[in-house]
Each structure stands twice: as structure tokens, then as C-alpha cells.
Amino acid sequence: MIPYGRQCIEEDDIEAVAQVLRSDFLTTGPKIPEFEAALCALTGARHAVVCSNGTTALHLALIAAGIGPGDAAIVPSMTFLATANAVRYCGADVVFADVDADTGLMEAHHLERALARAKDLSLNVKAVLPVHLTGRCVDMRALKPLAERHNLKMIADCAHAVGSAHHGTPAGSGLYEDFATFSFHPVKTIAAGEGGAVTTNNAEHAAQMRIIRSHGMAPAPQNGPWAYDMQELGYNYRMTDLQCALALSQLKKIDRFIQRRAEIVALYDRLFADLPSPFQRPALCCTDCVPAWHLYAPRIDFTALGMSRADFVLRLREKGVGTQVHYIPVHTQPYYKNLYGDIALPGANQYYERTLSLPLFPLMRDEDAEYVVQTIKDVIGA
Ligand SMILES: *Cc1c(COP(=O)(O)O)cnc(C)c1O
């Protein structure tokens, strides 16, 4: 079976973790600041705060952005559940924005529409969370003036975009957003087992997130060398030294990973060039974006193809090709429907109807991609 994604773990990664196991610190030790510094170098942001996963990264960023009960945040519906759920952890409301039907990305006019809807509902919108879906970046330059005019904090969900760049700056540099969040789940570009990070250029926010990720404990040496103060509710959102050592080892290879992913994307694009029109390559995004491809998600018109997506997926699976759908629009989930009722977001629905993520990971061989495409051609009789 060729899965849609998988990690690439090599002997040096294993050795890096083993070294931590032989050291004094398993959790908060020297690998934490080392990985944080490496993330600053990767993104160009001034501060990086690592944490237990990409979901807690979103939660930490939202807390530091001051989002709480009575507030609302705008989230594109075409994302993973976590982007919206983290807003709910803060007791705030989610206002779902639509996305482009071809790219799945939120654009300025979608944000404007969501702001107008929030106004009608008398919601107090304080943040917006653009999502760089599949590694292609949202046009942050177009969103920024809108966010400024409406006094919104921008939190870019970069879970798919580790190593992507837009407008000449790395994703998560903090040039366009107040915070950017990352995930190091094994299907993402670098694997830490579990892991996440927030980047920001604001030193106070970084310091606050470091305290909140460890129970809200702030050192209080004036009260004794042992003392700490808890001013604010914290959590245990720490990343371990074991995970940071793995992530650091993986980060050393990120250029190779991104390069190999780009090669497979180019190969897919070439092999799919002569497929019938119901089958289209993934849509590119804003000008000036250099994606680090996390997913390869072509657009397939299953109605025109005369085959349901479920049948297509099952027949590929029978032949050993794994696929996944990224994503079911979050606003259609029962939890959110119960909260906010039926919302019409036609772009998100149209994107969803046609999307299917094919296998893409650095360990794939050219023959694997060729097999995937040949299998698809066989299944659709092309
Ligand atoms: C994976 C992912 C997350 C959550 O990251 P975890 O590390 O799995 O908690 C958040 N947003 C998006 C877009 C993701 O793909």
C-alpha cells in the first residue's frame, strides 16, 4: 500500500533521539531552545515557542492574541478541525469564511464577506486565521490591510507550509501575521512524533506563551529560589527534548524533503497532462508563492467522470493506492452546525466535492508516482 503521506526516518534521526535518552533531560532540556532557534532561522521570525502539537500552538497563539469569551475569530471552512476548535477552546465564536473553489484558499473578498456576516450577527471579531492549504500560501499581502483596518490579529496556520515562502519571505516570518503556527505531526513536512510551534516577532507574546505552555508558572525569585507565580491559567503544552531532538534532526534535511516533494509534484503534473478534462492539476495560488508541497490534491469532476469519489477511492485502495480528502468543510460538521446552523459557503463545498489527495512523501520513488497515475488511468478507463 502506498499511503497518502508518511514520515521519512533515517538512522541519524534514531541516533539523535537515543542521545537524548542517554542524557539528563527527557522533557524540558537543551533541545527546546535549540529547536526554537532553528525555527527562527527557518522562518526569519524573531521568536519561536515550541509546544506539544499544532493544535496547542493555535490555542497558545489565540490566548496571547487576547481571544476569549465574547470574542469571535474568522476561520476558513477549508481546513483541519483544529483551526476552528482552538477558537472554541478560548470560549470564542468561530465565523467561517468561504474559500476559492479552485484553490481552497481564503481570499480578501471571502474575509470581507465573513466580516460583514459577523457584523450582522453583532459578533466582536478580533482575529483571523488564514490557512496555507497543501503548502500553497494564502495571499497574505492582500489580507493584511483588511486585518489592519478591522484591528484583527492575524494567526497564520502554517501546519502545511513548513518551508513555504510568499512575497519573498518564509511562511511564518511574522512580516504579515502576528503569529504563525506549525505542526510536526508525522504526515507533515518534518516529523517529531507530535510537536508544534508558534512564531512571532513580539517578545512579550513569546514570553507569555512560554509561561502558559507550562501550567502558567512564572519564576518569582523575589519570593525565594524555588518560587513561581501563576498569574494566568496555564496548561501542560510542553514539547519534549526527545521530540525536539527528532525535529532538529529532521529539520537538517528539510531542503532535501522539500526538493523531493517538488520533484514528485512535477512528475505527477507531467504524467497527468494528457488526462481528460474532468481531471485537473492542483490549482496554483497567489502570485509570488513558492510552496513547500505538503499535499498533492488534484481537482476531479466526479460527476463528469461518471464515478463517485467513494468508488474511485475504494478502487484505488484495492490496487494499493492510498488517498485522503483534505478536508470536509468544517462548517458542515455536526458540532458546528448545532452551534451556528446551516451556512452557505459554496466555494468550500465545491472545493470539497472535487478534491482528493494522492500519495506524496519524500520516500516515494518515481515508479510509485508512475504506478499511482497508471492505476488512476486504469480505474477511469483513460
Ligand atoms: C495538522 C494540522 C493542525 C493540527 O496539528 P496537530 O499537530 O495534529 O495538532 C492544524 N491545522 C492544520 C491545517 C493541520 O493540517
Side-chain angles (χ1 to χ4, degrees), residues 19-35:
Q19 273 179 24
V20 174
L21 284 170
R22 293 187 201 103
S23 77
D24 292 334
F25 299 97
L26 297 188
T27 184
T28 309
K31 295 296 173 191
I32 308 287
E34 208 183 309
F35 184 40

Side-chain angles (χ1 to χ4, degrees), residues 52-58 78-84 131-134 157-160 181-188 193-196 294-295 326-327:
S52 48
N53 56 60
T55 308
T56 54
L58 287 159
M78 187 45 59
T79 184
F80 184 52
L81 301 169
T83 321
V131 177
H132 298 324
L133 194 71
T134 75
D157 185 336
C158 296
H160 293 194
T181 64
F182 294 90
S183 165
F184 311 114
H185 182 278
V187 298
K188 309 282 163 73
E194 295 275 359
H294 164 52
L295 297 170
H326 298 93
Y327 292 99

